[in-house]
Amino acid sequence: MRKEIAVGLLAIGGALLTYYLNFDKGLGFSEDKGDWGVFGDFIGGFSNPIITFMTMCMLIKSIDLQREANNALIEQNTNIKKTEDIRSFESTFFNLAEVMKQEFSRIERRSQNGTHYASNAINHLEKSLTALRQYDSKLNEKDIRKAFEKIDERSGMSIYSAVRSFSVLIRFITENSPTEHHDKYLRIAVSITPVKMLHLICIAKALSTWSSLDDLREDNFFSKFELSNYLDYWRKILKNSFDEDGSQNVQPPDNF
């Protein structure tokens, strides 16, 4: 702004100097009103185009500054909205994760030795299903699936509820997390999920046809998080596809 003002003052000063050098010649101020009219016309005709041009430049610059300010405000509002969206997403995300953990804690498995809960219930479930296959290798896939569903029924559908709560969490991440942070939140979900809960998800995928697991199938969830080996074990339990000699020397890994 100061530069434009300086140029304008220089234009007016230049007009005065030009008039003095070419017309005044040291004669002093004229008393004739006509001379003053000519003087005004000369000053205006000389300086007005320059001042008008500088005014247009200042106006254009002002418009550019306003546009930059508007763009900065839009970007700031966009960032604020993104931050609010992420906060809202994370609030729901951790609430769903907490629900999933609660459902996991409610899993029960009744046996002659009492009732087992959560991780102990999953351990007992693994042993029971493996023992069932070892006891009768002639059981077909339908028999194994039916045995798993019966165990769930006896648990008050707590197994299905836990699996569904985990699937809801994964579906929420898939549908609502920012695209650039999709894998990040999936890994957070897996890291805060109890290991035995992940084992249960693998068992349910292999031995059930629950539609709640469809999202995990489509997202290649098990291969992405290195659960394939454990899942393969339960597929072998289902199909009884172990070594040719009939021995079942494949055991669930301690970790994944």
Side-chain angles (χ1 to χ4, degrees):
M1 281 296 198
R2 294 179 180 178
K3 185 184 296 184
E4 286 80 359
I5 294 174
V7 172
L9 293 175
L10 286 174
I12 296 173
L16 293 173
L17 180 61
T18 301
Y19 182 85
Y20 175 78
L21 294 176
N22 288 278
F23 305 106
D24 185 82
K25 299 186 184 299
L27 297 177
F29 294 107
S30 174
E31 295 180 358
D32 188 347
K33 293 182 179 179
D35 291 339
W36 284 103
V38 173
F39 172 76
D41 291 340
F42 174 80
I43 295 296
F46 184 86
S47 60
N48 279 349
I50 299 175
I51 294 174
T52 300
F53 175 75
M54 298 309 301
T55 301
M56 291 179 62
C57 291
M58 293 171 65
L59 179 60
I60 293 172
K61 186 173 182 179
S62 175
I63 293 174
D64 288 339
L65 291 174
Q66 185 63 45
R67 184 184 297 112
E68 290 176 1
N70 290 340
N71 291 338
L73 183 60
I74 291 173
E75 183 178 357
Q76 181 181 9
N77 290 338
T78 300
N79 291 335
I80 291 174
K81 186 178 184 304
K82 284 183 178 179
T83 301
E84 291 177 349
D85 289 344
I86 289 176
R87 287 178 179 174
S88 176
F89 167 81
E90 288 186 345
S91 176
T92 305
F93 168 76
F94 286 110
N95 285 337
L96 289 175
E98 185 60 31
V99 170
M100 179 267 294
K101 291 179 180 179
Q102 291 176 1
E103 291 292 341
F104 174 72
S105 68
R106 296 190 184 104
I107 295 175
E108 64 178 44
R109 174 83 173 103
R110 299 191 181 107
S111 70
Q112 296 178 349
N113 298 324
T115 303
H116 309 276
Y117 294 96
S119 295
N120 290 333
I122 306 305
N123 286 334
H124 197 275
L125 173 66
E126 292 169 335
K127 293 177 181 178
S128 298
L129 291 172
T130 301
L132 178 64
R133 170 56 74 192
Q134 291 172 338
Y135 176 74
D136 188 353
S137 60
K138 295 181 180 180
L139 291 173
N140 58 34
E141 294 182 18
K142 184 177 179 181
D143 294 328
I144 297 296
R145 293 184 189 278
K146 188 174 181 180
F148 176 69
E149 292 176 359
K150 191 172 183 179
I151 290 173
D152 184 39
E153 291 175 1
R154 289 177 177 175
S155 73
M157 302 293 287
S158 61
I159 294 175
Y160 175 79
S161 295
V163 170
R164 184 181 63 177
S165 66
F166 182 82
S167 298
V168 168
L169 175 62
I170 299 302
R171 182 185 304 167
F172 176 74
I173 295 172
T174 303
E175 296 178 352
N176 297 280
S177 65
T179 304
E180 63 272 21
H181 299 308
H182 181 75
D183 285 344
K184 167 188 170 184
Y185 286 109
L186 280 177
R187 294 191 180 280
I188 291 176
V190 171
S191 66
I192 63 178
T193 300
V195 172
K196 283 300 177 181
M197 179 67 176
L198 296 175
H199 285 185
L200 178 62
I201 298 299
C202 291
I203 296 172
K205 182 180 187 301
L207 305 186
S208 78
T209 57
W210 294 338
S211 59
S212 59
L213 289 166
D214 288 346
D215 291 331
L216 301 184
R217 292 187 178 96
E218 295 172 358
D219 198 37
N220 297 320
F221 175 84
F222 299 89
S223 60
K224 181 182 294 185
F225 294 103
E226 301 179 358
L227 291 164
S228 296
N229 289 340
Y230 188 77
L231 178 61
D232 286 342
Y233 171 81
W234 290 103
R235 283 173 172 162
K236 291 178 180 179
I237 287 288
L238 179 66
K239 298 178 180 298
N240 196 26
S241 54
F242 293 94
D243 296 342
E244 293 182 358
D245 61 359
S247 63
Q248 298 181 9
N249 53 14
V250 179
Q251 294 298 323
D254 293 333
N255 52 53
F256 51 87

